[in-house]
């Protein structure tokens, strides 16, 4: 009896299962991979003073946009920001007045564009989103030419986008600027054009002579 018990205690354990382990399953192997591209570029704003004189100026643009599909450029999200302290119209005194009196950069240093949709057909696109400036937001639509590369996209306005200063509640700031500069008038309407590179964007072909 003792020998039988010892034999049971010293018997070898049963062999491990030889069934192959089930490999982990990718729940969505064909799901598109989100791709974000850092933005770098500028926006040019043109307004009219004293009825006829154009006053252009530029702002630096940064931020990033992400696309669900980098071929069709669909499923866009992300934010573009314009640094209002970079306003440059090539006249420093005027620029300082615009930054301080109109933009009030001490309290409102950025304009932000939250992308909502982007549609592209034959290298022509429409980028839509909400523009926030001076605490007010408005939905805007920007028509752009599109140049795609392997690792980035170049966008530039195919036509100007018109904004009204009054739509952002900035009529008092505009009136203060008109008085400070001694102008007869400055139009409420502003024409915006963008020139933007996302990621490692290709260069636009040189214009024909």
């Amino acid at each position: 009896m003792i020998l039988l018990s010892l034999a049971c205690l010293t018997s070898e354990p049963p062999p491990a299962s030889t069934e192959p382990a089930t490999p982990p399953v990718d729940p969505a192997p064909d799901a598109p991979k989100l791709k974000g591209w850092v933005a770098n570029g500028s926006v040019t704003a043109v307004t009219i003073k004293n009825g006829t004189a154009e006053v252009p100026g530029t702002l630096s643009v940064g931020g990033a946009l992400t696309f669900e599909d980098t071929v069709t450029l669909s499923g866009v999200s992300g934010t573009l920001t314009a640094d209002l302290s970079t306003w440059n119209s090539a006249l420093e005194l005027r620029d300082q007045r615009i930054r301080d009196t109109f933009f009030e950069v001490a309290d409102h240093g950025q304009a932000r564009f939250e992308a909502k949709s982007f549609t592209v057909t034959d290298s022509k696109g429409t980028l839509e989103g909400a523009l926030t400036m001076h605490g007010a937001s408005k939905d805007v639509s920007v028509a752009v030419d599109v140049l795609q590369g392997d690792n980035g996209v170049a966008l530039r306005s195919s036509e100007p986008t018109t904004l009204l200063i009054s739509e952002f509640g900035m009529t008092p700031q505009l009136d203060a600027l008109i008085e400070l500069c001694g102008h007869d008038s400055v139009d409420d309407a502003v024409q915006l054009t963008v020139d933007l590179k996302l990621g490692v964007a290709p260069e636009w072909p040189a214009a024909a002579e």
Side-chain angles (χ1 to χ4, degrees):
M1 186 63 146
I2 295 174
L3 291 175
L4 180 60
S5 299
L6 290 173
C8 291
L9 290 174
T10 58
S11 60
E12 293 184 3
S17 173
T18 57
E19 292 289 332
T22 302
V25 177
D26 185 347
D30 297 324
K33 301 295 188 291
L34 292 175
K35 187 159 188 176
W37 282 320
V38 173
N40 181 42
S42 64
V43 57
T44 298
V46 179
T47 189
I48 304 296
K49 72 174 183 179
N50 300 332
T52 58
E54 289 190 353
V55 180
T58 61
L59 294 165
S60 297
V61 175
L65 295 181
T66 296
F67 300 89
E68 292 181 359
D69 189 321
T70 55
V71 176
T72 64
L73 300 180
S74 60
V76 69
S77 60
T79 303
L80 302 175
T81 59
D83 183 350
L84 301 182
S85 68
T86 64
W87 175 263
N88 182 4
S89 68
L91 186 61
E92 180 54 35
L93 177 59
R94 176 173 63 199
D95 292 342
Q96 194 61 53
R97 288 171 171 173
I98 291 173
R99 295 181 200 122
D100 295 344
T101 303
F102 179 65
F103 288 134
E104 297 181 324
V105 294
D107 298 315
H108 305 279
Q110 282 189 342
R112 296 171 59 85
F113 178 85
E114 301 287 343
K116 294 182 178 180
S117 69
F118 189 38
T119 56
V120 180
T121 304
D122 296 332
S123 299
K124 296 287 185 180
T126 302
L127 179 62
E128 297 183 336
L131 177 63
T132 300
M133 184 168 61
H134 216 270
S137 296
K138 173 181 171 53
D139 287 339
V140 299
S141 178
V142 183
V144 291
D145 293 323
V146 181
L147 184 62
Q148 292 182 249
D150 292 336
N151 297 296
V153 180
L155 306 176
R156 65 182 180 189
S157 291
S158 55
E159 60 185 58
T161 299
T162 301
L163 296 180
L164 299 180
I165 293 169
S166 57
E167 292 177 323
F168 294 89
M170 297 178 66
T171 299
Q173 288 76 15
L174 180 61
D175 290 342
L177 181 66
I178 291 171
E179 182 177 356
L180 180 62
C181 295
H183 299 322
D184 293 332
S185 65
V186 175
D187 283 6
D188 186 30
V190 179
Q191 303 291 321
L192 299 181
T193 55
V194 299
D195 189 349
L196 194 64
K197 292 183 181 298
L198 302 172
V200 185
E203 295 293 333
W204 292 100
E209 293 291 338

